[in-house]
Amino acid sequence: MIQPSSENVIVTALRRGQVRRAVGMLVDSYNDDLYCYCASLLGTASGARVYQQALAAAIGNLGSYQGQASLRAWLFAIARGATLEHQWRHPALYPEAREQGYCPLPDQRRAADERQPRAAETVDLSQFPPATQEILQLRLWHGLHLREVAFVIGRPVGEVRHQASEALALLALTGGHPGQAPS
């Protein structure tokens, strides 16, 4: 994870008009995180295409970054938007994508088919509502702070904190198995 001081260096370079330097540092710093996020949601092939689209959109709009959230959260929000757009364009693969409140989540069946181990498989989150699953995945597997998660998904910080704390408490009580009654 990039340190906030490094993020400041990128933003400072951008504000000084050193766009090439800012883009280079942005790619060096966030390349792996963004690719892993897109690939975790869409698989490696589609994830790579969406990652490239998201990175191109971020670079093209880098001048509009106003610091309303961390640069990392801003990039994840762009990647999430590109993912949602991809899923919306492929209704045969993602029939729920057009429903209100849809959250992009890793498809566990696809993960098993690809034979790729995923951290999300170690704890069964499927019994939580999709919005809670998305919060936990962004926080636990992608390392975003809850304030960043709230920005990425476009929900109030207090709501995200409450949902995350309830879910984590339930996981702690049940040993990571939400369907199991606490002992």
Side-chain angles (χ1 to χ4, degrees):
M1 180 187 313
I2 190 168
Q3 298 301 315
S5 60
S6 300
E7 190 169 288
N8 290 337
V9 172
I10 296 170
V11 172
T12 300
L14 180 64
R15 291 192 176 133
R16 289 184 178 167
Q18 301 168 340
V19 177
R20 183 178 294 239
R21 181 172 181 241
V23 167
M25 289 187 299
L26 179 132
V27 171
D28 289 345
S29 301
Y30 297 107
N31 183 44
D32 292 342
D33 289 342
L34 292 178
Y35 171 75
C36 287
Y37 175 61
C38 293
S40 74
L41 297 174
L42 302 170
T44 54
S46 294
R49 283 190 302 275
V50 170
Y51 155 75
Q52 290 172 348
Q53 293 167 353
L55 194 57
I59 290 169
N61 292 310
L62 193 55
S64 69
Y65 174 72
Q66 298 295 315
Q68 66 276 25
S70 70
L71 186 58
R72 186 166 191 253
W74 183 75
L75 292 167
F76 267 80
I78 291 171
R80 182 180 189 265
T83 299
L84 287 169
E85 185 176 325
H86 170 82
Q87 291 177 334
W88 197 79
R89 286 188 198 161
H90 297 90
L93 295 173
Y94 307 98
E96 307 89 18
R98 293 179 184 245
E99 295 175 11
Q100 184 154 346
Y102 175 77
C103 299
L105 296 170
D107 182 350
Q108 295 302 320
R109 293 168 301 184
R110 188 191 69 247
D113 290 345
E114 291 180 1
R115 302 284 185 246
Q116 293 181 352
R118 299 209 189 278
E121 292 177 352
T122 61
V123 175
D124 180 17
L125 300 180
S126 65
Q127 294 183 34
F128 287 116
T132 302
Q133 290 180 47
E134 184 179 28
I135 289 169
L136 292 176
Q137 288 171 348
L138 286 167
R139 174 66 188 113
L140 299 175
W141 286 281
H142 298 292
L144 295 170
H145 298 285
L146 288 177
R147 183 172 301 281
E148 293 173 316
V149 171
F151 178 82
V152 170
I153 64 175
R155 293 186 27 220
V157 175
E159 182 182 316
V160 169
R161 284 186 200 280
H162 178 73
Q163 218 167 341
S165 67
E166 282 187 346
L168 291 173
L170 181 59
L171 284 173
L173 285 171
T174 62
H177 304 286
Q180 174 182 335
S183 51

